[in-house]
Amino acid sequence: MQHYQIEPIGYIQSPYKQKFAIPRQPRLIPEAKAKLIFNPTFNREEFVRGLDEFSHVWLLFRFHETADKGWSALVRPPRLGGNEKKGVFATRATFRPNAIGMSAVKLDGINYKNGQLSLELSGIDLLDGTPIIDIKPYLPYSDSLPDALGGFADDRPETELTVEFTPQAIAFCQAQSAFPELQGFISSVLKQDPRPAYKKTKEGIQQYGMTLHCFNIKWQIEGNCNIVLEITKQSAR
């Protein structure tokens, strides 16, 4: 059996600093913006010449934080509440042979500044630091299949959850001039209901925390409502 060594072409700078709260699929949260920073070997404009003619790109990446945990032939998709097993090749689960994932995301721009090449992306669903192993342009005539069947994940995931902010949380968001979409970004993330499947059936008030960009967000769920209680900025390291 042959083995292959793959050199990452770059890595993602993402607002998602932990796996918790990352959407299950790309483009579910348009406000999720990120950068792809090219590694030195590929840090030349020639590599992306003509890429600006495309609106979207495929990113092939490695699930770097779960790769060392091995893989499984059967997994429990969150879309099925974590109660039913499916073959790993019938899902997009992280625990898979070779730990390779793919995402189709929006290409907002290409930058080459101070000797560093980067791509501006949105609709991202990748953890900060994710290594990218390839980029391919999205081709609508070939990649879009309107009549395709989506199996157990045939519809866009929707929840009945609403989102409210305390006055403190609203004031904090409004004061972040460098992150003008912060409140909308948080709302979109919470409407996706990032809780583990087993938590969604629990009654009563549940409190959670997550990190987006450099902000710690605390919220609680009461019935079908997410209430953002407090947002604080992480101290500089």
Side-chain angles (χ1 to χ4, degrees), residues 6-205:
I6 295 176
E7 179 183 359
I9 63 173
Y11 64 93
I12 288 291
Q13 287 184 349
S14 165
Y16 300 113
K17 308 303 180 183
Q18 53 195 189
K19 290 178 287 184
F20 183 67
I22 296 179
R24 307 294 185 191
Q25 302 296 339
R27 305 186 316 283
L28 293 177
I29 302 180
E31 300 94 334
K33 299 182 182 298
K35 284 186 178 182
L36 194 167
I37 308 297
F38 284 82
N39 287 335
T41 303
F42 309 98
N43 188 36
R44 302 203 312 270
E45 291 180 282
E46 295 96 315
F47 281 102
V48 295
R49 183 180 297 167
L51 190 61
D52 58 353
E53 300 172 14
F54 299 89
S55 64
H56 293 74
V57 294
W58 287 103
L59 301 179
L60 300 183
F61 61 91
R62 185 163 170 81
F63 291 107
H64 63 298
E65 286 215 344
T66 57
D68 62 347
K69 296 178 173 59
W71 54 272
S72 175
L74 291 172
V75 296
R76 299 177 185 270
R79 188 67 178 271
L80 298 177
N83 299 317
E84 185 177 344
K85 291 185 177 181
K86 295 287 184 180
V88 66
F89 294 139
T91 76
R92 297 191 179 187
T94 60
F95 299 103
R96 56 195 317 109
N98 299 314
I100 292 175
M102 64 179 189
S103 290
V105 300
K106 190 172 185 297
L107 175 63
D108 294 324
I110 302 173
N111 293 323
Y112 190 76
K113 186 176 181 181
N114 298 325
Q116 179 60 62
L117 179 65
S118 65
L119 302 184
E120 301 284 344
L121 307 167
S122 59
I124 205 79
D125 63 336
L126 302 180
L127 183 68
D128 188 52
T130 294
I132 303 300
I133 60 178
D134 200 8
I135 304 167
K136 299 180 188 294
Y138 180 91
L139 303 178
Y141 80 89
S142 175
D143 296 343
S144 178
L145 304 169
D147 297 327
L149 299 178
F152 63 86
D154 199 42
D155 298 316
R156 179 187 177 96
E158 300 288 351
T159 72
E160 297 180 354
L161 294 176
T162 59
V163 181
E164 297 180 1
F165 288 73
T166 63
Q168 184 274 345
I170 293 174
F172 184 93
C173 290
Q174 292 175 342
Q176 307 307 310
S177 58
F179 299 89
E181 297 182 344
L182 181 59
Q183 186 172 348
F185 181 30
I186 294 172
S187 294
S188 294
V189 169
L190 294 183
K191 285 180 181 178
Q192 294 293 318
D193 198 354
R195 293 177 295 171
Y198 72 92
K199 289 279 191 179
K200 298 178 183 181
T201 58
K202 288 194 172 184
E203 298 182 355
I205 297 175

